[in-house]
Amino acid sequence: NEEGGLGIFFYKNATEGGDWILQERIDNSDWVASLLPDNPPLSTFRFITQSYASIHPENKSPKIEEISALSCVFRAGRKGAATDHSSILFDVDVNTGLIGGGTTNEHWYKLGLRPMLPGGGGGGDSGGCKWRSFHGEYHTHPDCDNIKVTGQTVPNIQSMIQLVCDSHLKLCSDVPLVGWDVVLSKDPKLPVCLLEVNLSCNFFRGTFDKKTYLDFLDASITNLQAMRLTTDSDKKVFKTNNIGTM
């Protein structure tokens, strides 16, 4: 598996040797499917959460109040795509669930110089890859223009936020920022499903309260600096683990 699931493959059978991990198929909920074209991939919601508990990892009893959701993006998958890495990124208000305008990040995944050149196949105005993307470029899904996505309200947004915040608290409260891919599933037994955790994460073009985020970074860096000064004064030396030799 590569970054963010980009190395995923889909097989029709698993009869010929090898080691296999077989997982039950997860399908988009009817509501999610109503906003997508025919033959879409599983389309997830990317949440970013932050943990003030990470600033003081020596505290062995972190509280849920120290975890908060910064942003949410609906990754509306493109027609025929294998995963929602090919998608329109619709901003979602974490307080209300209201879906805002959409944009893309396809240019992030273009390799080499060719996609930047005219006729490079990137889909930009000159025939090459777009260098930038902007919020509000899309209000409907480009593969089904008759369905307006902007202005819809995500159901169960609070249960999704509770899921990612609880997971951050219980699994990795000492990690400052975590990305979570959440599915609204068709399975009535599991309507909200945590698909993936990303410890090296980005906002996927989602908007967020910059003051909240910058205050958190300021507190984290200030604490790290204080720890460094204390360590230097005590002449402590920390041993690093080389994963390749463990």
Side-chain angles (χ1 to χ4, degrees):
N1 199 341
E2 299 175 25
E3 180 271 328
L6 287 175
I8 190 172
F9 288 93
F10 295 90
Y11 295 93
K12 294 183 178 179
N13 66 69
T15 61
E16 294 296 331
D19 296 321
W20 300 87
I21 297 176
L22 301 180
Q23 296 176 290
E24 186 175 351
R25 179 186 175 95
I26 303 174
D27 293 309
N28 294 309
S29 71
D30 290 341
W31 179 81
V32 171
S34 72
L35 304 178
L36 300 173
D38 295 334
N39 192 26
L42 186 66
S43 297
T44 62
F45 293 81
R46 164 60 64 90
F47 288 86
I48 299 294
T49 54
Q50 69 177 23
S51 170
Y52 267 92
S54 67
I55 297 177
H56 300 287
E58 70 279 1
N59 179 9
K60 303 303 180 183
S61 300
K63 297 179 174 58
I64 191 63
E65 292 78 16
E66 297 177 286
I67 315 291
S68 60
L70 289 174
S71 67
C72 175
V73 168
F74 172 41
R75 304 200 296 190
R78 302 299 301 269
K79 182 176 182 178
T83 72
D84 61 3
H85 285 84
S86 178
S87 62
I88 306 301
L89 309 173
F90 286 95
D91 195 27
V92 179
D93 188 315
V94 291
N95 295 310
T96 65
L98 183 66
I99 301 178
T103 185
T104 67
N105 68 339
E106 289 187 10
H107 52 297
W108 294 1
Y109 302 104
K110 299 294 183 181
L111 302 178
L113 296 176
R114 181 177 176 82
M116 296 189 296
L117 302 175
D125 294 337
S126 62
C129 176
K130 294 196 301 184
W131 286 69
R132 299 182 64 190
S133 57
F134 301 91
H135 289 286
E137 292 179 274
Y138 297 91
H139 298 288
T140 60
H141 196 295
D143 299 330
C144 47
D145 283 339
N146 59 320
I147 300 176
K148 189 173 183 180
V149 180
T150 299
Q152 301 274 359
T153 300
V154 178
N156 301 322
I157 186 72
Q158 292 306 318
S159 62
M160 297 164 78
I161 291 174
Q162 181 178 352
L163 173 63
V164 297
C165 288
D166 284 346
S167 298
H168 198 159
L169 176 69
K170 295 174 182 178
L171 298 177
C172 51
S173 63
D174 58 341
V175 178
L177 295 162
V178 178
W180 308 90
D181 293 337
V182 180
V183 176
L184 289 181
S185 163
K186 192 172 184 177
D187 186 349
K189 297 179 182 177
L190 193 65
V192 180
C193 174
L194 182 58
L195 183 70
E196 182 178 298
V197 56
N198 301 269
L199 301 183
S200 176
C201 56
N202 66 76
F203 288 93
F204 274 100
R205 306 301 317 279
T207 59
F208 53 93
D209 187 318
K210 290 184 174 60
K211 184 178 186 306
T212 298
Y213 175 63
L214 293 175
D215 284 348
F216 174 70
L217 291 184
D218 180 68
S220 297
I221 294 170
T222 298
N223 185 65
L224 285 173
Q225 174 69 356
M227 292 172 64
R228 186 187 73 82
L229 293 175
T230 299
T231 300
D232 289 348
S233 65
D234 293 342
K235 295 182 169 35
K236 289 184 179 179
V237 177
F238 292 94
K239 181 181 178 181
T240 59
N241 289 323
N242 187 333
I243 296 177
T245 60
M246 288 179 64

